[in-house]
Amino acid sequence: MRSIVLWTLLAVMLPVSLAAKDTGIAVDPLSSLDGLISNHINDLYIDSLGVMWVAGQGGLSRFDGYEFMNFSTGVCSEDITSNNIKKIYPAFDNEIWILTEKGEIAFFNTVDFSPVAKRKDSVKDLKINSVAFSGKERVFLGTTSGLYECSYDLGNIRKIHYRDRIDGKNDNAVRAVYVDSDENIWIGTWADGIYIIPSGYDDVIRLSFPRVRSIKVNGFMERTNKMYIMTWGQGLVELPTPIDKDNIGARYVKSAEHDWDIIFSACCDRSGNIWLGTAKGIRILKSDGREVLYSRFYRDGDLYNINEVFGMTMDSSGTVWITLSNNGIGAADIRTDYFSYDNLSSACINSNYVDAVFLDKSTGYLWLGVRGVGLVVYDYIHARDVSHEYGKYVESINRRANSIR
């Protein structure tokens, strides 16, 4: 058991403006008028049959390309009291686990659309913030009262006392939990920093930094030989992997301005550059050690402010797609630093606030949950809206699946 102090790295920042174009995409979204359970979407997931599952503020929707099947309180699970579903976790045996705003959890079979029975009594008193799987054998639950481990059916639940193994204090609320490819457990708290339980449970490592009183963790991103930890207002933490308990080798990348250190999303491009979606724009940590900030770009001769970047993902061509606060979607060509801006425009669109994004590389489709509007399916290869054409693709998947049988 140990507490390791790491020194802060203040990055060199190069402000940049990008050339850009505003294309304006005409879209016909899928909304509650088409059967979607809610026009406010929190999360998206596509299963192995190409069916989209939508977590909304009114419940769960299943979309097969033609019609919606909706599930709400009492249908998803009799134990669920909230219809505001925040997160969908792909699990095993054709299951998805859904997490509500109240920290409740339910389990769904994506093939026969039925609730899955598990030992829910073991978690009924927990408010769950995050779920992580270690194969099908172990499940870790980050809750407001600490970290718990259980079996896949929620049996054999036990609390993992990680902090009191260091200083004897009570565990704080766990905001995010992640199990990496080496079976190390990463624990991100609300305000107490970052903990690592190495594979085998033989030790606990606490990461702490000079002049940093608390760290609120937003999430984790694992890449080959690296782990990146996104925080709220405290920048990015980077660690080499596999973990060497005697030489952690972490660096703490913090900017000179607070909004750049509120990190909502991240991705890594083919050149090894790290893209960060922040409260002020895009931060790129170049593989050569430089840092580039994209807070504004030129559009039609006017200086335009990107604002908050909530979602970020990269397609098969290497283009980085971002979702902008109330400004639609954007695409950045990493080879030319050319940024194209796509404003969602239609007579029935009154918002460009994209809350959820899912990139399906097999189809070349970008799924967008637009606040108060509904679901938009965008063919990014041909730059067109295909929201009402998706059923043809699902049919083709089912034909292939039936031919294999």
Side-chain angles (χ1 to χ4, degrees), residues 16-21 269 271 273 275 284 286 290 292 294 297 317-320 331-340:
V16 175
S17 294
L18 291 89
K21 63 176 181 178
D269 67 29
S271 300
N273 304 313
W275 294 63
I284 304 179
K286 294 280 191 176
R290 294 180 301 140
V292 181
Y294 291 157
F297 60 92
S317 71
T319 298
V320 176
D333 188 326
I334 62 175
R335 296 157 296 187
T336 62
D337 278 348
Y338 190 77
F339 188 94
S340 64

Side-chain angles (χ1 to χ4, degrees), residues 3-301:
S3 179
I4 296 184
V5 178
L6 307 168
W7 292 102
T8 301
L9 173 66
L10 187 62
V12 176
M13 287 158 280
L14 307 174
V16 175
S17 294
L18 291 89
K21 63 176 181 178
D22 178 2
T23 58
I25 308 168
V27 298
D28 183 10
L30 297 159
S31 69
S32 57
L33 298 176
D34 301 290
L36 180 65
I37 200 166
S38 172
N39 289 338
H40 293 268
I41 296 171
N42 297 320
D43 198 16
L44 300 165
Y45 169 69
I46 292 182
D47 66 24
S48 59
L49 296 177
V51 173
M52 171 57 73
W53 294 83
V54 183
Q57 292 186 14
L60 181 70
S61 284
R62 175 190 183 272
F63 180 57
D64 63 3
Y66 291 104
E67 62 182 3
F68 289 94
M69 180 183 292
N70 296 324
F71 310 89
S72 56
T73 300
V75 179
C76 287
S77 168
E78 61 185 15
D79 303 316
I80 296 295
T81 62
S82 172
N83 278 326
N84 191 351
I85 299 175
K86 304 297 290 183
K87 184 70 177 175
I88 300 174
Y89 291 96
F92 300 91
D93 300 331
N94 297 311
E95 289 180 14
I96 55 174
W97 293 25
I98 60 174
L99 187 64
T100 74
E101 180 186 36
K102 291 184 177 180
E104 304 162 320
I105 195 165
F107 318 91
F108 229 75
N109 186 295
T110 61
V111 176
D112 61 14
F113 329 133
S114 63
V116 177
K118 294 188 185 292
R119 301 180 184 180
K120 300 171 193 171
D121 286 346
S122 64
V123 298
K124 67 179 181 179
D125 295 325
L126 300 178
K127 184 174 181 180
I128 300 169
N129 298 318
S130 180
V131 177
F133 300 96
S134 177
K136 195 180 173 182
E137 291 71 36
R138 297 186 299 166
V139 180
F140 296 94
L141 306 174
T143 77
T144 55
S145 56
L147 182 68
Y148 290 80
E149 178 190 359
C150 60
S151 58
Y152 189 67
D153 65 353
L154 301 187
N156 303 315
I157 192 165
R158 70 184 185 95
K159 187 172 183 179
I160 299 176
H161 297 278
Y162 58 91
R163 179 167 178 176
D164 67 359
R165 291 166 63 180
I166 292 178
D167 56 17
K169 295 184 178 180
N170 293 330
D171 299 330
N172 284 334
V174 175
R175 179 176 171 83
V177 59
Y178 183 84
V179 180
D180 68 20
S181 55
D182 294 318
E183 297 296 309
N184 302 304
I185 307 164
W186 298 76
I187 305 166
T189 68
W190 280 95
D192 189 39
I194 304 160
Y195 295 81
I196 308 168
I197 303 177
S199 177
Y201 292 58
D202 59 341
D203 206 347
V204 176
I205 300 169
R206 180 184 184 184
L207 305 184
S208 58
F209 306 90
R211 298 179 298 279
V212 178
R213 296 181 59 186
S214 65
I215 296 179
K216 180 178 177 181
V217 174
N218 273 350
F220 301 92
M221 181 179 73
E222 183 179 6
R223 290 296 180 267
T224 304
N225 300 322
K226 285 287 177 65
M227 175 65 77
Y228 299 93
I229 304 169
M230 296 165 278
T231 76
W232 181 280
Q234 297 293 348
L236 184 76
V237 179
E238 176 188 284
L239 293 90
T241 56
I243 295 173
D244 181 350
K245 292 183 287 187
D246 297 318
N247 182 21
I248 294 297
R251 69 168 185 155
Y252 179 41
V253 185
K254 186 171 172 58
S255 72
E257 196 170 335
H258 178 264
D259 285 352
W260 287 111
D261 289 326
I262 300 176
I263 303 175
F264 300 116
S265 56
C267 74
C268 180
D269 67 29
R270 294 174 177 176
S271 300
N273 304 313
I274 304 300
W275 294 63
L276 304 175
T278 78
K280 191 161 185 179
I282 304 169
R283 286 178 68 186
I284 304 179
L285 308 180
K286 294 280 191 176
S287 57
D288 61 9
R290 294 180 301 140
E291 179 169 350
V292 181
L293 305 180
Y294 291 157
S295 61
R296 342 178 255 188
F297 60 92
Y298 287 98
R299 184 189 67 181
D300 298 332

